[in-house]
Amino acid sequence: MSTPGEGKQPDEPTGDLSIGKLAMSALGAAAAVLLVATLVIVVLKPEPVIGLIVALVGVIGAITAMGIVSKRMTRKAFGPEKK
């Protein structure tokens, strides 16, 4: 039984995860990384090979950002993975 003044711990899993919120957060993180890569290419105007490398790093960064956001949101909702 919990007392009225007792709240949930900040690290305690909530069990509440909206797939729509998860998808939009992951896509937002990826879009932010791709926007930064695009701005770097537009501002610096590198040679084609360097521009391609910046674009590929941007794509890899976007995929990484999606994974990090998804993992953090899932772990926040359901707690750390069980072994």
Side-chain angles (χ1 to χ4, degrees):
M1 195 181 260
S2 66
T3 60
E6 187 178 311
K8 287 186 107 173
Q9 297 295 328
D11 294 337
E12 190 174 323
T14 61
D16 184 30
L17 179 66
S18 167
I19 299 299
K21 186 175 179 181
L22 176 67
M24 294 306 292
S25 297
L27 287 175
V33 172
L34 291 174
L35 178 66
V36 169
T38 302
L39 289 174
V40 167
I41 291 172
V42 169
V43 170
L44 296 181
K45 294 182 172 80
E47 294 184 17
V49 174
I50 296 173
L52 180 61
I53 291 170
V54 170
L56 289 175
V57 168
V59 170
I60 291 168
I63 293 169
T64 303
M66 289 174 67
I68 290 170
V69 168
S70 297
K71 183 178 278 189
R72 290 189 78 183
M73 288 181 71
T74 304
R75 285 195 176 161
K76 183 176 180 183
F78 300 116
E81 65 181 286
K82 308 262 191 268
K83 291 186 179 182

